[in-house]
Amino acid sequence: MSRADGDYGFTAGERVYDVIVVGAGSMGMSAGYQLAKRGARVLLLDAFDPPHGEGSHHGETRLIRHAYSGGDAYVRLALRAQQLWEEAEALTGERLLAKSGVLNLADPDVHSHRGRYWDAVRLGVSVEMLDAADIRRRWPGLALPDRFEALYEPDAGYLFSERCVAAYRKLALANGAKLLTGTPVIGVTARAGRASVHTPHGDYHAGAAVLCAGAWFGGLADFLPLPIRPLRKVVGWFETSGDDYREGTLPGFTMATAGGVYYGFPDIAGMGLKIGRHDGGHPWRPGEPLAPFGRYAEDEGDLRGALGTFMPGAAGRLLRGSACKYAMTPDEHFIIDRHPEHPHVLIAGGFSGHGFKFASAVGELLAEMADGAADGAEINLFALSRFNPAPAPVHDH
């Protein structure tokens, strides 16, 4: 992929790369590594110093599941992602993944996992359907009404999110990528075979660009307006009693209830059970301060209410809380595509609160696209053109 500076038509002395990655969070850092590994001269730009708390990757943990609604492409991408996370573990010597299993709980009056179960079986994913009695017997800390059921994925688990970003940073730099932190992007321009990225510290140029701006895509709207709506979201860590909620006993979990859709993690090393609410949230705009945890009564109230109802032994003292950002699309599917007028500019965004688990595979996919590989089924599912007309939400998490 590497080319001489003159091949892109820039003059001698300009800051020229093969690929510029805008946004070096989970998706961008993974893409930067994959591109550099293929021999590209890569520049990664980030307004902060990843891993950091200004995007969507902080807060210690993220679920990784393989049984998914929304199409087979998700399942294939999730399975590939886990392979790549394990590869990154081996390359860096860091523990990035805990195979705790994931328990997807649901009130069937609200949501059913049965279609997802049969899709998973067909694609070779290890899954079990459990009724409420099964669930209570295996995880006695859960207080569930008899109508509840669950889809259990024994081979799933959770990722240590900041470690994952740090691991890909280490790998990207080891393969020759350059990372500029504290470098916000104020604009992007493109013409045939060339892309320029404008920052307060000067302009950078490349034959291709990959835009992974997360909740900050609004700042690039002059170049490409996207149907991405940033939302403020919160998570909290709560004190637990007994051993029913500890790591090694309680798996990662999701809960679809009449009072909301939640997700969470066991109490890891006595730091508290972590829980967040997937639906709801408050709008946020790039450049605005993000209200800290506790600004709204529902920040703690919603989380404590769900725990008190379904995991009463985990509804203890609030140990800490954190606010982060979702980047939502209208249908909650991702956007992974080429710019409609500049095919050498790739876009990856709108990961809608359920994208982190895929970051390793999305980075690989973006590198393949930048290297000229044919776009496959994943790109059809995540195409930007689908928003005319706007589809209905899928409500996955």
Side-chain angles (χ1 to χ4, degrees):
M1 184 184 295
S2 181
R3 298 168 60 180
D5 291 359
D7 289 351
Y8 296 123
F10 297 108
T11 60
E14 289 188 292
R15 291 178 281 189
V16 181
Y17 297 82
D18 294 318
V19 187
I20 298 175
V21 179
V22 175
S26 53
M27 305 298 169
M29 200 70 83
S30 172
Y33 160 60
Q34 290 286 347
L35 287 159
K37 185 176 74 168
R38 286 163 168 78
R41 294 172 304 167
V42 178
L43 175 65
L44 291 144
L45 299 174
D46 200 278
F48 306 100
D49 190 1
H52 55 71
E54 301 294 334
S56 303
H57 65 252
H58 64 287
E60 298 178 359
T61 48
R62 295 292 186 278
L63 294 176
I64 180 165
R65 303 177 290 107
H66 311 126
Y68 237 79
S69 60
D72 293 359
Y74 273 118
V75 178
R76 290 193 297 269
L77 204 62
L79 292 171
R80 179 58 179 159
Q82 182 144 329
Q83 292 175 343
L84 291 171
W85 290 123
E86 291 170 353
E87 177 185 281
E89 281 188 319
L91 290 170
T92 62
E94 291 287 338
R95 185 185 183 220
L96 306 179
L97 169 66
K99 294 182 180 179
S100 67
V102 172
L103 185 65
N104 301 284
L105 303 158
D107 178 343
D109 293 338
V110 175
H111 182 76
S112 174
H113 293 303
R114 293 192 177 272
R116 186 188 300 181
Y117 169 81
W118 290 113
D119 287 343
V121 169
R122 175 172 52 82
L123 293 167
V125 177
S126 180
V127 287
E128 302 174 55
M129 283 298 302
L130 305 174
D131 62 23
D134 294 329
I135 300 163
R136 291 191 297 255
R137 182 173 58 254
R138 292 172 66 170
W139 297 283
L142 303 181
L144 301 176
D146 288 341
R147 68 180 181 278
F148 269 58
E149 58 186 19
L151 174 70
Y152 179 55
E153 301 179 58
D155 297 333
Y158 50 88
L159 297 157
F160 297 99
S161 52
E162 286 100 338
R163 289 187 208 170
C164 289
V165 175
Y168 274 133
R169 175 174 176 161
K170 178 179 179 180
L171 291 170
L173 297 180
N175 280 272
K178 182 176 181 180
L179 170 65
L180 293 182
T181 62
T183 307
V185 170
I186 57 178
V188 178
T189 54
R191 57 184 179 179
R194 299 172 53 172
S196 296
V197 177
H198 312 289
T199 81
H201 311 306
D203 298 339
Y204 301 89
H205 313 282
V210 180
L211 309 184
C212 300
W216 299 81
F217 259 112
L220 303 179
D222 288 345
F223 178 64
L224 179 64
L226 294 174
I228 293 176
R229 179 172 58 103
L231 286 179
R232 171 192 177 271
K233 306 292 294 184
V234 298
V235 293
W237 287 258
F238 291 81
E239 191 172 43
T240 64
S241 61
D243 296 327
D244 291 338
Y245 309 99
R246 304 289 187 191
E247 60 181 326
T249 300
L250 184 70
F253 62 88
T254 68
M255 295 194 301
T257 77
V261 178
Y262 296 86
Y263 63 92
F265 307 83
D267 186 336
I268 301 170
M271 299 299 290
L273 182 143
K274 176 185 169 185
I275 185 171
R277 183 168 179 176
H278 178 70
D279 56 338
H282 291 268
W284 175 81
R285 296 179 64 182
E288 292 181 348
L290 187 69
F293 184 96
R295 174 67 57 84
Y296 305 99
E298 65 265 27
D299 286 356
E300 180 177 350
D302 287 353
L303 307 182
R304 181 174 294 283
L307 291 176
T309 301
F310 301 108
M311 301 182 183
R317 180 170 54 98
L318 175 70
L319 300 177
R320 62 189 174 104
S322 179
C324 65
K325 306 174 187 78
Y326 275 15
M328 303 295 295
T329 64
D331 62 1
E332 299 186 23
H333 290 306
F334 313 150
I335 298 171
I336 304 173
D337 205 347
R338 301 178 185 275
H339 190 290
E341 298 176 7
H342 307 291
H344 56 295
V345 178
L346 307 180
I347 305 106
F351 289 97
S352 300
H354 66 112
F356 186 93
K357 63 181 75 67
F358 298 102
S360 57
V362 169
E364 181 181 62
L365 178 60
L366 291 167
E368 291 171 350
M369 293 170 66
D371 215 12
D375 300 343
E378 294 88 354
I379 305 308
N380 294 330
L381 177 62
F382 304 135
L384 179 58
S385 60
R386 73 184 188 271
F387 292 109
N388 189 16
V394 296
H395 298 304
D396 211 324
H397 45 82

